[in-house]
Amino acid sequence: PSEAAVDDFWRWLCERGAVAASSAATVKPGFVPEGLGLVAQRDLPRNEVVVEVPKRLWIDSDTAVASEIGRLCAGLKPWVSIALFLLRERALGTASPWHPYLDILPPTTNSTIFWSEEELSEIEGTQLLNTTMGAKESRAFSRGRGENLALVPLADLINHSSSITQVDSCWEIKGKGIFSRELIFSLRTPVYVKSGEQVHIHYDIAKSNADLALDYGFVEQRPDRDAYTFTLEISESDPFYGDKLDIAESNGLDETAYFDIALGCPLPPLMLPYLRLVALGGTDAFLLESVFRNTIWGHLELPVSRANEEAICRVVRQACKSALSAYHTTVEEDEKLMEGDNLDERLRIAVCIRAGEKKVLQQIDDAFRERESELDVLEYYQERRLKDLGLVGEQGEIIFWESK
Ligand code: SAM
């Protein structure tokens, strides 16, 4: 946007009472490396409220429903009504009361949904490519886009910084005061900011780099942002499908389970038991009988049998190998590329994502290779059971009763 557009937007906000008085403003929109951002107008102590935006300035599903296209919005998901509303207001041009706001919105970001085919070819083989294609076909929009979706002018100019370590939410929605029922969106600065510097927050600590790339169009150089999601499933053709599903459900899992694995972090605690459950069969199948229903999960938390443990190692390692073979580059090639400092921003995101996914896959493969090498020394259900019954001596020898 031009400087004039930003000035118009500011005037529009002041006229509508979003900012008490322009002279008393704590922050103002300004040009920053991330596009537009919020720039402190004086020294701001930590936790100072920097922006308060009343509900009448938000664009949410209520705005769409109250508008001329409102009757078309009945029954639509909030994000669909909001998208329709924005399209219509945009088409109205300067006749739209919202135009000063629409005019400062960035036409695109570096989110992967805006990437060309050529740019997308740089993330060939990644999970991010799948989620991006899913989002573009607008199938994946349900995730995280809830009922309370709202565009909040001015507050939405706040940028993310990885150096902000306070990751608690910096915003809240509150009543304006005892005489007014109008809601306001209130945003605080998590740290002290000097006059003239930009105010930042930390968007979302739980997001992986793939989430950040898809939602916002940037990534962070932090190993635990590198992640891979393992999808496991109890197959309907499994002869023990019903029992296994029942056991999974009693433990808060389902027919399909998703495990997000982050670089340098241990496997999610439910992953091994779920894997063992999925692989359970043969001579271990007695554990699925109903007499074990209350204790089965405890048994699955430890190795069940050599055959079962071997099966989970084989399946996981195969999945890792097959996933790894779909990438066009090696981690070493990616890391070499990342050393160059005038890398195109989208290419840098692509390289970071594909290197991160591969590192996590290698980490998982390593973990299961190690487990495979321990198959002979692991302790399995039968030995534990014998020990419990006092039938195994200190050295692991089986104790027989001698008839006197
Ligand atoms: N900068 C935005 C603008 O010009 O309208 C305002 C913030 S908006 C809520 C979020 C977008 O800002 C992101 O999608 C991304 O394009 C940009 N952004 C925010 N934090 C960033 C960061 N740390 N690095 C790169 N881009 C960032």
Side-chain angles (χ1 to χ4, degrees):
S2 65
E3 247 171 81
V6 177
D7 289 344
D8 281 350
F9 172 60
W10 184 248
R11 214 168 304 122
W12 178 82
L13 286 169
C14 295
E15 280 165 17
R16 269 148 224 259
V19 232
S22 160
S23 55
T26 47
V27 292
K28 267 187 163 180
F31 292 92
V32 294
E34 303 92 334
L36 288 178
L38 295 176
V39 179
Q41 299 302 295
R42 54 170 170 84
D43 290 357
L44 300 173
R46 175 172 165 251
N47 281 334
E48 181 95 335
V49 171
V50 291
V51 165
E52 292 205 311
V53 185
K55 180 162 158 70
R56 71 194 125 90
L57 285 168
W58 311 352
I59 297 178
D60 59 11
S61 54
D62 295 341
T63 322
V65 168
S67 76
E68 275 178 49
I69 60 159
R71 60 191 172 80
L72 299 170
C73 294
L76 295 181
K77 293 204 179 85
W79 73 266
V80 181
S81 344
I82 293 170
L84 283 178
F85 177 80
L86 289 173
L87 284 171
R88 176 176 147 82
E89 294 302 312
R90 173 65 102 200
L92 290 174
T94 50
S96 163
W98 296 94
H99 88 265
Y101 172 56
L102 302 183
D103 289 348
I104 61 123
L105 289 178
T108 64
T109 69
N110 281 329
S111 159
T112 48
I113 55 171
F114 297 114
W115 291 17
S116 67
E117 289 211 1
E118 196 191 330
E119 286 163 338
L120 287 174
S121 72
E122 297 288 352
I123 51 168
E124 184 117 11
T126 63
Q127 289 196 315
L128 176 59
L129 180 60
N130 286 339
T131 42
T132 302
M133 297 321 277
K136 284 179 82 160
E137 285 162 25
S138 86
R139 284 189 283 111
F141 268 102
S142 56
R143 185 182 60 121
R145 274 126 177 118
E147 290 302 306
N148 298 322
L149 186 67
L151 287 167
V152 184
L154 189 62
D156 66 0
L157 291 182
I158 191 97
N159 289 308
H160 162 95
S161 167
S162 53
S163 59
I164 304 286
T165 49
Q166 183 198 315
V167 294
D168 309 339
S169 175
C170 286
W171 58 270
E172 62 180 324
I173 290 171
K174 51 188 191 189
K176 202 169 177 179
I178 41 172
F179 299 115
S180 162
R181 283 167 171 260
E182 190 175 25
L183 296 175
I184 56 173
F185 183 99
S186 170
L187 180 73
R188 290 174 296 109
T189 170
V191 292
Y192 164 79
V193 182
K194 261 212 193 96
S195 178
E197 285 179 357
Q198 190 187 172
V199 183
H200 284 104
I201 58 168
H202 197 105
Y203 282 180
D204 193 339
I205 196 70
K207 282 196 164 135
S208 69
N209 266 337
D211 296 331
L212 291 177
L214 179 63
D215 292 349
Y216 304 114
F218 63 81
V219 288
E220 258 184 23
Q221 307 289 348
R222 266 171 69 128
D224 61 346
R225 292 270 195 197
D226 290 329
Y228 197 90
T229 305
F230 247 73
T231 305
L232 301 173
E233 183 179 69
I234 304 168
S235 160
E236 258 182 83
S237 60
D238 189 315
F240 306 106
Y241 173 77
D243 286 326
K244 290 186 178 180
L245 184 57
D246 185 41
I247 293 162
E249 282 175 348
S250 338
N251 291 284
L253 294 161
D254 213 332
E255 185 176 343
T256 310
Y258 304 94
F259 297 100
D260 295 331
I261 303 165
L263 193 62
C265 300
L267 292 177
L270 297 178
M271 185 170 157
L272 279 175
Y274 191 85
L275 270 167
R276 293 185 183 119
L277 176 67
V278 171
L280 207 69
T283 52
D284 300 321
F286 70 92
L287 284 168
L288 296 167
E289 283 167 21
S290 53
V291 288
F292 286 101
R293 208 43 56 95
N294 292 330
T295 53
I296 172 80
W297 201 259
H299 296 312
L300 292 169
E301 283 174 338
L302 294 166
V304 171
S305 69
R306 194 184 196 285
N308 180 266
E309 205 68 4
E310 191 176 12
I312 68 169
C313 293
R314 193 178 54 238
V315 168
V316 171
R317 295 200 61 198
Q318 247 160 27
C320 290
K321 286 212 184 73
S322 138
L324 280 166
S325 70
Y327 299 88
H328 286 183
T329 54
T330 63
V331 172
E332 293 68 35
E333 288 166 335
D334 293 339
E335 282 182 341
K336 187 132 204 184
L337 270 174
M338 274 195 278
E339 281 166 18
D341 35 54
N342 47 7
L343 212 57
D344 166 75
E345 191 50 29
R346 292 186 182 183
L347 183 57
R348 204 177 62 77
I349 295 173
V351 174
C352 174
I353 292 285
R354 67 197 192 200
E357 286 192 11
K358 278 177 290 203
K359 284 190 223 167
V360 179
L361 283 165
Q362 277 165 7
Q363 166 185 302
I364 303 168
D365 188 51
D366 287 347
F368 282 86
R369 185 186 333 102
E370 198 179 319
R371 189 161 276 275
E372 223 168 27
S373 72
E374 293 166 352
L375 286 174
D376 287 334
V377 294
L378 287 176
E379 192 178 70
Y380 300 109
Y381 172 77
Q382 297 291 3
E383 286 126 275
R384 288 197 296 277
R385 185 82 187 114
L386 290 174
K387 257 193 192 159
D388 282 353
L389 296 172
L391 299 180
V392 179
E394 293 287 295
Q395 263 68 49
E397 75 281 11
I398 295 188
I399 302 169
F400 294 99
W401 274 279
E402 283 179 64
S403 41
K404 296 250 163 81

